[in-house]
Amino acid sequence: MSLLRRGRVELKTPAQIRAMRASGLVTASALAAARAALAPGARAASVDAAAEAAIRAAGAAPNFLGYDGYPASVCFSANDVVVHGIPGEQVARVGDIVSIDCGAVLDGWHSDAAVTLAVGEVDPRSEVLIEVTRAALWDGIAAFARAQHVGEIGAAIEASVRAAEPSFGILREYVGHGIGSAMHMAPDVVNFASRERGPRVRPGLVLAIEPMVVEGSTATSVDADGWTVRTVDAARAAHWEHTVARTEGGIWVLTEPDGGAAELALRGIDPAPA
Ligand code: MF3
Ligand code: CO
């Protein structure tokens, strides 16, 4: 989403975090269905339909559909599209990289997650872009486990990208966000080091952390459809996202089936379910 969402932060009880976990698992299943549908020759609209079917089969609803008039259940953002691409008649081709962003609402609780996937074999630089962005997400998630203030997450994401590939750019106008009884809530979660420390991190804080990284310039424009965000220089972009809760004992990655166990273990952290 775009900047700037200030105001009160909604803190969740452990029972509410468990309800958000149920929503997060629906979003994870929808992304798995979308991933299975994303083959060379697949239409974007078919990927959207697969994700929507998984969400509805779980008794949930797609929270993107109808959001500010958004016409689909996922965002399908290929190559130079950074985020918010509308799935339609585009066809996935070998060599493309596609961000699929998806969310669900279950019992009033929202979740939001995204992956960037390679379609068949892609050029080595695109593989690096995908992996650097994915690692930056997990480094940001790991920072959330120990952070005193939300700003530490963005600092960790920027440090991660810079250390891996200094030539990549990080978008600044599009940021992560609080999430819970609505999809987009306070606070903003920027993906770069900032002088603003941000709100204090407390148990019950739930954030959608979502770095957006580009191969070239961070300048973007929005298509005439009012949604599709593209790089001006037509260089490629990657985007990864998870919904993550801070609990009494640490963090719990609500949109990852293992709660984050595998990736967090690499960073010396165990997930702490509510
Ligand atoms: N993860 C996206 C974001 O936070 C969700 C976009 S929902 C849409 O910006 F409906 F606006 F597409
Ligand atoms: Co989001």
Side-chain angles (χ1 to χ4, degrees):
M1 64 168 239
S2 38
L3 290 167
L4 249 155
R5 211 161 298 250
R6 296 178 189 274
R8 253 192 88 245
V9 169
E10 178 183 81
L11 295 178
K12 284 75 167 173
T13 66
Q16 289 171 333
I17 291 174
R18 291 192 290 275
M20 289 192 71
R21 168 63 165 172
S23 176
L25 288 175
V26 174
T27 291
S29 76
L31 280 179
R35 180 191 283 260
L38 183 74
R43 287 163 59 244
S46 317
V47 174
D48 181 63
E52 178 172 1
I55 292 168
R56 298 211 187 271
N63 53 359
F64 289 18
L65 189 63
Y67 178 89
D68 272 350
Y70 187 75
S73 298
V74 308
C75 301
F76 182 102
S77 306
N79 303 329
D80 62 319
V81 179
V82 188
V83 286
H84 302 169
I86 299 172
E89 297 309 309
Q90 315 92 298
V91 169
R93 304 201 185 282
V94 171
D96 287 350
I97 65 169
V98 180
S99 150
I100 300 169
D101 189 350
C102 181
V105 56
L106 180 67
D107 297 329
W109 294 103
H110 290 259
S111 54
D112 185 4
V115 296
T116 298
L117 304 172
V119 182
E121 195 164 325
V122 302
D123 66 277
R125 191 162 163 83
S126 292
E127 272 175 27
V128 171
L129 177 68
I130 291 172
E131 189 48 34
V132 165
T133 309
R134 195 183 74 83
L137 168 62
W138 283 102
D139 287 341
I141 292 171
F144 186 30
R146 297 168 172 137
Q148 308 266 5
H149 293 93
V150 169
E152 291 164 55
I153 298 166
I157 289 169
E158 178 169 351
S160 179
V161 173
R162 296 258 167 282
E165 185 48 72
S167 71
F168 286 165
I170 300 173
L171 288 226
R172 298 176 82 93
E173 316 93 303
Y174 297 91
V175 300
H177 48 93
I179 183 168
S181 61
M183 176 163 55
H184 290 147
M185 308 182 85
D188 282 338
V189 182
V190 303
N191 295 306
F192 51 86
S194 164
R195 293 158 68 149
E196 289 187 41
R197 288 190 304 174
R200 216 179 156 77
V201 169
R202 293 191 163 81
L205 179 62
V206 184
L207 301 176
I209 303 174
E210 52 177 320
M212 290 150 267
V213 178
V214 293
E215 282 184 346
S217 156
T218 56
T220 58
S221 64
V222 178
D223 282 6
D225 62 20
W227 287 100
T228 308
V229 177
R230 286 180 198 276
T231 58
V232 168
D233 63 7
R236 290 183 164 198
H239 170 221
W240 285 82
E241 178 174 18
H242 272 304
T243 297
V244 188
R246 178 84 169 234
T247 60
E248 287 292 344
I251 54 165
W252 195 15
V253 185
L254 303 180
T255 44
E256 181 66 56
D258 75 356
E263 284 293 330
L264 292 175
L266 302 172
R267 294 161 177 86
I269 297 168
D270 286 325

